[in-house]
Structures are given as structure tokens and as C-alpha cells.
Amino acid sequence: MNTENPEEFYTRLRTQLEESTQWPSLYLYKFIVLTDEEKINQIHSIFNNLGAVIDSKLSKNGKYTSLSIQVNLENPDAVIEKYIEVGVIEGVISL
């Protein structure tokens, strides 16, 4: 179980993204959520108007949906901002 402070996690992620990527850049998000149209639509709306390519795939039994979202972003702060926005949706797992 991850008990890390979210602020520390995002600070480390920002540093890693700054060191490993030239910006602006394409970034790939991966999320898993219970198959619930409302939650899936909430995630879609977060990336609306960004030109994101969103692929959805149901689990074998249909209980979960995985979302792969590829979007061009300006900087590491934009990446983190989207993680935080999606993070408020109950039950979403970020990979």
C-alpha cells in the first residue's frame, strides 16, 4: 500500500518529468475505474478540448474499464494538474 504524501509524490514526478522529457510533449495516462458511465464521462471531460486520444478497454468480466489517454501537454505541471483532477474521482486507480 502506498502511504506516500501526495505532495512528495508530485514533487518527485515533476523532477523526473523535467529531467526525462523535452516539453511540450505527448504524455500517456493510464487509469482503471469500475465500469461506471458517470465516472468514465468525468474522466473524458477532464481531457475535453485538449485533443486527447482516449482508448477504453473493458476487463474480461466487464467490471472494470481501463483508460489510456494520450495528450500533448506543455510542461510537467500540466501533467500533474490532470492527475490531481482525475484523483478526486472516487475509485480511480492511476497507473
Side-chain angles (χ1 to χ4, degrees):
M1 178 178 197
N2 187 353
T3 59
E4 183 175 17
N5 178 332
E7 190 174 308
E8 291 174 7
F9 171 78
Y10 290 127
T11 299
R12 193 172 68 250
L13 177 60
R14 180 180 291 110
T15 300
Q16 291 172 345
L17 291 172
E18 287 170 346
E19 292 173 354
S20 66
T21 308
Q22 290 187 348
W23 298 94
S25 181
L26 223 50
Y27 188 81
L28 177 65
Y29 293 91
K30 291 190 176 250
F31 303 109
I32 296 175
V33 63
L34 283 170
T35 300
D36 175 335
E37 267 321 298
E38 184 177 330
K39 290 181 181 188
I40 293 168
N41 287 337
Q42 284 180 285
I43 294 171
H44 277 261
S45 69
I46 289 170
F47 292 92
N48 197 19
N49 298 323
L50 293 177
V53 176
I54 303 175
D55 292 318
S56 301
K57 184 177 178 183
L58 286 174
S59 64
K60 184 177 176 181
N61 64 7
K63 185 175 180 180
Y64 295 96
T65 298
S66 68
L67 298 168
S68 296
I69 303 169
Q70 194 166 32
V71 61
N72 194 31
L73 296 170
E74 290 298 315
N75 55 48
D77 289 330
V79 171
I80 292 167
E81 178 183 316
K82 294 301 175 193
Y83 273 122
I84 292 170
E85 287 181 52
V86 172
V88 300
I89 301 170
E90 186 179 336
V92 175
I93 300 168
S94 299
L95 302 177

